Amino acid sequence: MLCKPIDDALRRININEKISGALTILIINVMMFCFIFYFGNSIFNLIEKIYTNYLGEIRELIQNIKNTMGIDIEEILQNNKQVFTSNTFKNGLVVTGQGILSYIVANITVYFFIVDRKLFFRVLNRILPYNVIYTIRKKRDNLREVLKIEVILVFICMIITIIGFLILRIPNAIFLGVVCGILDILPYVGTIIVFIPIIIYNIIIKKYLLVIGLIALYLLLQIVREILELKYLSYKLDIHPLVVLLSMYIGAESFGIIGILVGPIYCLLAKDIIYEENI
């Protein structure tokens, strides 16, 4: 999905398909690396700044949590040191190695699919019956509608986040708003990655009113996204909002985050199968 538009643009300027495929993979990987590195570096600098400038406030916050809630964070950390054993380190290396291997295989697979996609389509046309191919092509337009809706929702949430950050006078409001918009592609998980460090930072420096504002902004984003997603998906796909909501929930429970997008697509296919059989 990410590579095809770039590959199409490169081919339009008469670049060889194999070179175009390799350049596309390279561009996507560089963009992802730069984003992850810059975002990770920003989070690290924020944590370092909190630790350096507000060490006394951190200790006071830990003591207040212990006095009011009876939770001794220092004791919990001390007791969990045994978790970080040599076996844990070895298991982490194994998982990391498998992840790197999967990433390499995925890049090679995408490269060949981009370069030889006409060949794959010809093979599918020979293997699958005509009515199945026709149905897939027909549903492709519905999938594009779903993706367009998701892009619109991400853009709307990004604008709301930037405006909210500017009102709350959060430093680097536009940059953080754009990051939230990009991460909003992963509903529930994405924006909270940005909000939690900012909320913790403001708790440490005792700006509790700002913390309440940030929590309210986050809840507003989730409510607006849910309402608009139900409205637009049900309208574009001609499915009742309750069915869309249930399909998103079941999809998320079955397939994880990607299920939020896959659920309505399965629901759409099921609806068409039922109506075709009735006809």
Side-chain angles (χ1 to χ4, degrees), residues 8-26:
D8 290 340
L10 292 174
R11 291 193 184 191
R12 279 196 290 269
I13 56 178
N14 297 324
I15 295 180
N16 181 272
E17 57 185 19
K18 293 183 179 180
I19 298 176
S20 173
L23 286 175
T24 300
I25 297 294
L26 179 63

Side-chain angles (χ1 to χ4, degrees), residues 5 14 29 49 83 103 131 173 183 199 208 220 223 229 247:
N14 297 324
N29 278 277
K49 181 180 178 182
V83 175
Y103 188 76
N131 60 334
L183 293 175
I199 291 173
Y208 300 117
L220 174 65
I223 293 171
E229 197 164 35
S247 67

Side-chain angles (χ1 to χ4, degrees), residues 3 44 126 192 197 273 279:
C3 291
F44 178 79
R126 293 181 180 180
I192 201 170
I273 291 172
I279 292 174

Side-chain angles (χ1 to χ4, degrees), residues 9-211:
L10 292 174
R11 291 193 184 191
R12 279 196 290 269
I13 56 178
N14 297 324
I15 295 180
N16 181 272
E17 57 185 19
K18 293 183 179 180
I19 298 176
S20 173
L23 286 175
T24 300
I25 297 294
L26 179 63
I27 291 170
I28 291 294
N29 278 277
V30 169
M31 290 173 59
M32 290 178 61
F33 174 79
C34 291
F35 174 76
I36 293 172
F37 177 80
Y38 186 71
F39 181 72
N41 192 48
S42 300
I43 295 295
F44 178 79
N45 290 335
L46 176 61
I47 294 173
E48 185 182 24
K49 181 180 178 182
I50 293 173
Y51 183 79
T52 304
N53 299 334
Y54 300 99
L55 182 58
E57 286 81 356
I58 292 174
R59 289 176 176 172
E60 183 181 349
L61 177 65
I62 293 174
Q63 188 62 38
N64 290 335
I65 292 174
K66 181 179 179 180
N67 294 336
T68 57
M69 304 176 63
I71 301 174
D72 192 340
I73 296 178
E74 292 181 347
E75 184 180 350
I76 292 173
L77 293 174
Q78 190 70 24
N79 293 335
N80 283 280
K81 279 186 177 180
Q82 59 185 359
V83 175
F84 300 99
T85 61
S86 59
N87 289 332
T88 305
F89 182 70
K90 291 178 182 178
N91 293 333
L93 289 177
V94 171
V95 173
T96 303
Q98 291 175 346
I100 294 174
L101 178 61
S102 299
Y103 188 76
I104 293 172
V105 171
N107 274 271
I108 296 173
T109 303
V110 172
Y111 168 77
F112 282 114
F113 189 79
I114 290 174
V115 173
D116 298 325
R117 58 190 175 193
K118 292 182 179 179
L119 174 62
F120 288 118
F121 288 141
R122 284 200 300 268
V123 172
L124 286 176
N125 284 328
R126 293 181 180 180
I127 295 175
L128 298 176
Y130 173 77
N131 60 334
V132 174
I133 295 295
Y134 176 77
T135 303
I136 291 174
R137 289 176 178 172
K138 187 177 178 183
K139 301 311 170 197
R140 181 179 59 186
D141 296 332
N142 293 327
L143 178 59
R144 286 177 179 172
E145 289 296 327
V146 174
L147 294 176
K148 286 179 183 178
I149 292 169
E150 289 296 327
V151 171
I152 292 171
L153 292 177
V154 165
F155 182 75
I156 292 173
C157 291
M158 180 180 69
I159 297 299
I160 294 174
T161 305
I162 292 175
I163 294 173
F165 282 168
L166 289 174
I167 293 173
L168 296 173
R169 297 182 180 179
I170 302 296
N172 302 318
I174 296 178
F175 167 73
L176 291 175
V178 173
V179 171
C180 284
I182 296 172
L183 293 175
D184 193 53
I185 298 172
L186 307 174
Y188 305 108
V189 178
T191 54
I192 201 170
I193 297 175
V194 177
F195 272 82
I196 284 181
I198 301 175
I199 291 173
I200 293 174
Y201 174 75
N202 284 282
I203 289 175
I204 292 173
I205 62 177
K206 299 181 180 180
K207 292 186 177 180
Y208 300 117
L209 186 61
L210 186 57
V211 170

Side-chain angles (χ1 to χ4, degrees), residues 246-264:
L246 292 176
S247 67
M248 291 168 59
Y249 173 75
I250 295 172
E253 288 293 317
S254 302
F255 305 108
I257 294 174
I258 193 65
I260 297 175
L261 179 62
V262 174

